[in-house]
Amino acid sequence: MAATVPCPFAVYGCPQKNLAPADVEEHLDSLAADHLNLVCIEVVNQKNWARTQQQKLQQEWQAELTKFKDAATAREKELEDSIVELKSQVQQQDQILERLFMGSIIVVDKNGCGLFTSIKKALQACRSGDTIVVRMGEYDEHIVVNKPDVTIRGSDPENTVLKNDALAPVWDIRASITLTGLKCVQENAAFPCIAVSNGAPVIDKCDVSAGPMPCVVVESQGVPTIRQCTIHSSQQSGIVFRRGTRGCVEGSRVHGNVGPNIEILDGADPVLQNNKVFDSRGSGIVVRKAAGQILNNSIYNNMAHNVEIIQGSPVVAHNTLYDSQKCGVSVMEGAAPDGPDRAVGAEDCKPEITHNEVYNSNECNVVIGAGAQ
């Protein structure tokens, strides 16, 4: 059998696949146009296939892109929801912190079981309206108070102790705050335990003692209320009201001070009422060039006079004065200073002493010196 060959254009669709080699050339010449048409058809088919593949790939890519966009949109929404949730949680935490640090209770515990271990740091962090509760322990601090409307309360008045041996008062009060249930001890020789220079603070149910300086000094614009406190053991005075100050001491025990238990000086005008003032190694109450109201107190067993008035014009009424080592009430003119610093002079020495019970004084119950009225 003679060998045959296919038409070279068989791959493009020419049906001649068994040609004698001698007939190939004649076949190509006679069917050239048909062969060209087959090639063109194949090229068109290839282009259509390529276009179809391209469209398919584009559709697949678009589908993947849409899927990716949908996933990205869903993730974006998820992240946005998470951000909203986190913002809500942060806002809730802020509200909790705001409630904690505004008008609420802040606990100080030196052993670390509160928000702070230091009263000073708690005071710096708090806001007006807050209450700072100080748990029992000994706190060595010098505290400057210039933030108003804050209450600082000791949880155990006998065992919540503030001490200070720095060159400053334990409490330097310059605003209207409330101290209650604290034991305050000044160990430094140069400063009082509590210095009040501004505001109208309330010092309530506190035990206050000092060394060489007074326990409490009121000066400048201070107008304190000292209520139901124990003020004692100073080598100078228990409480000193300095030039032009006012305030109130009520229901307190002021005793055992080397100097006067209470001094009212240079135009000061406080109210002392319902107190027990006793066991001073000096006088119980000294009024020097000042005024004031001394009402309904028990003043007794002081080494000098129970009440000593030097160039002063206080009201001394409804008190019980007894067991003085010198006089129950001593009213003396004293020296009248000249110049602009003069506060209450001799002509102003007009105390009102009325309805008092004065007895058992070692020298005399009442003495009124020359120049006093």
Side-chain angles (χ1 to χ4, degrees):
M1 183 177 179
T4 61
V5 295
C7 173
F9 291 93
V11 295
Y12 296 107
C14 180
Q16 297 298 329
K17 297 180 180 179
N18 297 301
L19 292 172
D23 298 331
V24 171
E25 184 175 356
E26 181 182 355
H27 172 75
L28 292 175
D29 289 341
S30 62
L31 297 175
D34 292 340
H35 289 157
L36 179 60
N37 185 55
L38 290 174
V39 171
C40 289
I41 292 172
E42 180 63 22
V43 169
V44 169
N45 288 337
Q46 289 293 332
K47 288 180 68 176
N48 290 336
W49 179 86
R51 185 179 294 111
T52 301
Q53 289 299 111
Q54 182 182 14
Q55 291 174 349
K56 182 179 179 181
L57 289 174
Q58 286 178 338
Q59 290 173 352
E60 291 177 353
W61 177 83
Q62 188 66 41
E64 288 296 323
L65 180 61
T66 300
K67 187 187 299 183
F68 175 78
K69 285 182 177 180
D70 291 343
T73 301
R75 180 58 177 163
E76 183 180 12
K77 181 66 167 58
E78 182 181 340
L79 290 174
E80 287 176 350
D81 292 343
S82 297
I83 291 171
V84 170
E85 179 65 22
L86 287 173
K87 285 182 177 179
S88 175
Q89 292 178 5
V90 169
Q91 186 176 11
Q92 291 175 2
Q93 293 297 324
D94 287 343
Q95 290 172 351
I96 291 172
L97 289 174
E98 186 175 1
R99 287 195 299 271
L100 187 64
F101 287 105
M102 178 179 285
S104 58
I105 296 175
I106 299 171
V107 176
V108 176
D109 188 310
K110 66 171 298 181
N111 297 314
C113 296
L115 285 175
F116 297 94
T117 58
S118 161
I119 300 170
K120 182 186 296 185
K121 290 182 179 179
L123 190 59
Q124 290 170 347
C126 76
R127 298 178 181 177
S128 293
D130 288 350
T131 296
I132 298 172
V133 175
V134 185
R135 288 181 174 164
M136 61 182 294
E138 187 171 301
Y139 299 82
D140 187 356
E141 299 195 45
H142 155 57
I143 303 168
V144 177
V145 180
N146 50 26
K147 191 174 294 183
D149 193 24
V150 174
T151 297
I152 303 174
R153 176 183 297 121
S155 62
D156 183 341
E158 290 294 324
N159 297 298
T160 306
V161 182
L162 280 79
K163 290 187 174 181
N164 177 39
D165 58 4
L167 294 175
V170 177
W171 293 98
D172 185 350
I173 300 176
R174 307 174 187 179
S176 299
I177 67 157
T178 298
L179 303 181
T180 182
L182 299 167
K183 188 173 184 178
C184 306
V185 182
Q186 174 61 289
E187 297 181 334
N188 185 275
F191 292 89
C193 186
I194 299 176
V196 180
S197 60
N198 210 337
V202 175
I203 303 170
D204 178 65
K205 299 183 183 68
C206 292
D207 184 297
V208 184
S209 61
M213 295 298 288
C215 297
V216 180
V217 172
V218 184
E219 55 192 350
S220 190
Q221 303 299 313
V223 188
T225 296
I226 301 171
R227 184 173 59 209
Q228 299 184 51
C229 292
T230 300
I231 313 291
H232 63 100
S233 303
S234 167
Q235 294 178 33
Q236 289 193 32
S237 302
I239 304 172
V240 180
F241 288 90
R242 289 183 175 164
R243 185 179 184 88
T245 55
R246 296 176 294 114
C248 179
V249 182
E250 59 182 3
S252 296
R253 293 165 55 88
V254 188
H255 68 93
N257 298 288
V258 174
N261 280 323
I262 302 176
E263 283 190 284
I264 304 172
L265 307 175
D266 300 324
D269 190 15
V271 176
L272 314 179
Q273 60 185 7
N274 300 311
N275 302 289
K276 292 185 177 181
V277 183
F278 61 98
D279 288 350
S280 168
R281 289 172 63 181
S283 294
I285 299 174
V286 172
V287 181
R288 188 188 304 272
K289 298 184 289 184
Q293 299 180 59
I294 303 171
L295 311 172
N296 298 297
N297 301 283
S298 293
I299 308 169
Y300 58 94
N301 200 39
N302 296 289
M303 291 294 291
H305 311 294
N306 278 330
V307 174
E308 183 178 2
I309 302 169
I310 305 169
Q311 290 182 252
S313 299
V315 175
V316 182
H318 302 285
N319 301 284
T320 302
L321 305 98
Y322 60 95
D323 289 347
S324 169
Q325 298 301 306
K326 289 188 176 181
C327 299
V329 179
S330 172
V331 182
M332 294 293 174
E333 174 189 336
D338 295 322
D341 291 334
R342 178 185 181 125
V344 178
E347 69 278 7
D348 300 311
C349 191
K350 300 177 181 179
E352 180 182 339
I353 303 171
T354 181
H355 294 89
N356 299 284
E357 186 177 357
V358 187
Y359 62 92
N360 204 30
S361 302
N362 194 45
E363 293 184 0
C364 59
N365 286 326
V366 179
V367 59
I368 299 177
Q373 301 181 39

